[in-house]
Amino acid sequence: WSDVANAAQYEIQIDNASTIASPFVANVVVTTSQATLGGLPAQRLWWRVRARNSAGVFGPFSATRRFTPGAAPAAAALSALTVNPSSVVGGTGSTGTVTLSAAAPSGGAVIALTSSNTAAATVPASVSVAAGATSAMFAATTSTVSASTPVTITAAHNGVTRTATLTVNPPAQSATLTVTAAGRSGESVLSNPAGINVA
């Protein structure tokens, strides 16, 4: 509302009827010509305001106006955690993504991260989802292993946890196979998978 000359405070009365009578839904005093209120019911309400000077004398109430508070925005909860690729050779990195159910609030959202086997795969202690965003990515670093090793990556935020499995595999092994064929009379030797072809 507009400033009133010599006003030291403003009294705002809010009610669920246009007559605005006690008991009020809300009755607050502020020192500036605006107010932000929470906890109001999501229904049509009416409000009016009046100024008070430094001597404590009130002026007349403004005209009554109506409004309907909006429902509070849904809190941003941790909804998913993924890793891509989900299976890598040790020493190769993977990218994790955390996703929220709604946009992160002002100041962002910090998601805690852990690995069930830090000898095979490590993740940062946390990843931040920027204010207004719904997801953020982080790097998962892996080490060489001697056997296929599944690692559980866990993300946690506000009491909600999500997990994803990252499988760390040993390097591919190579071997040499020698085939000796004797006593043939015209037959050829082939292999499956292909690789050996003797006329």
Side-chain angles (χ1 to χ4, degrees):
W1 59 91
S2 299
D3 287 327
V4 175
N6 301 318
Q9 294 178 321
Y10 297 94
E11 180 187 25
I12 308 163
Q13 295 178 346
I14 300 174
D15 201 15
N16 54 10
S18 60
T19 53
I20 306 186
S22 179
F24 306 111
V25 171
N27 187 11
V28 298
V29 174
V30 296
T31 57
T32 59
S33 56
Q34 62 179 357
T36 302
L37 303 178
L40 297 176
Q43 66 183 68
R44 178 173 290 182
L45 300 173
W46 284 261
W47 70 280
R48 64 185 182 181
V49 62
R50 62 179 175 174
R52 181 169 61 183
N53 64 19
S54 58
V57 178
F58 283 103
F61 273 109
S62 67
T64 300
R65 299 173 183 175
R66 68 185 184 189
F67 71 105
T68 302
L78 179 62
S79 62
L81 167 65
T82 60
V83 288
N84 185 34
S86 59
S87 181
V88 298
V89 174
T92 303
S94 181
T95 300
T97 302
V98 291
T99 304
L100 302 178
S101 60
S106 174
V110 178
I111 314 300
L113 302 171
T114 57
S115 165
S116 66
N117 186 340
T118 55
T122 59
V123 294
S126 64
V127 60
S128 295
V129 181
T134 58
S135 65
M137 294 187 296
F138 62 90
T141 304
T142 66
S143 302
T144 302
V145 294
S146 58
S148 182
T149 306
V151 180
T152 301
I153 307 300
T154 301
H157 178 65
N158 285 346
V160 177
T161 61
R162 294 288 183 264
T163 61
T165 300
L166 174 61
T167 302
V168 184
N169 299 300
Q173 301 292 320
S174 61
T176 301
L177 173 65
T178 301
V179 174
T180 302
R184 297 179 300 140
S185 58
E187 296 88 354
S188 61
V189 177
L190 303 174
S191 68
N192 186 12
I196 299 174
N197 188 341
V198 183

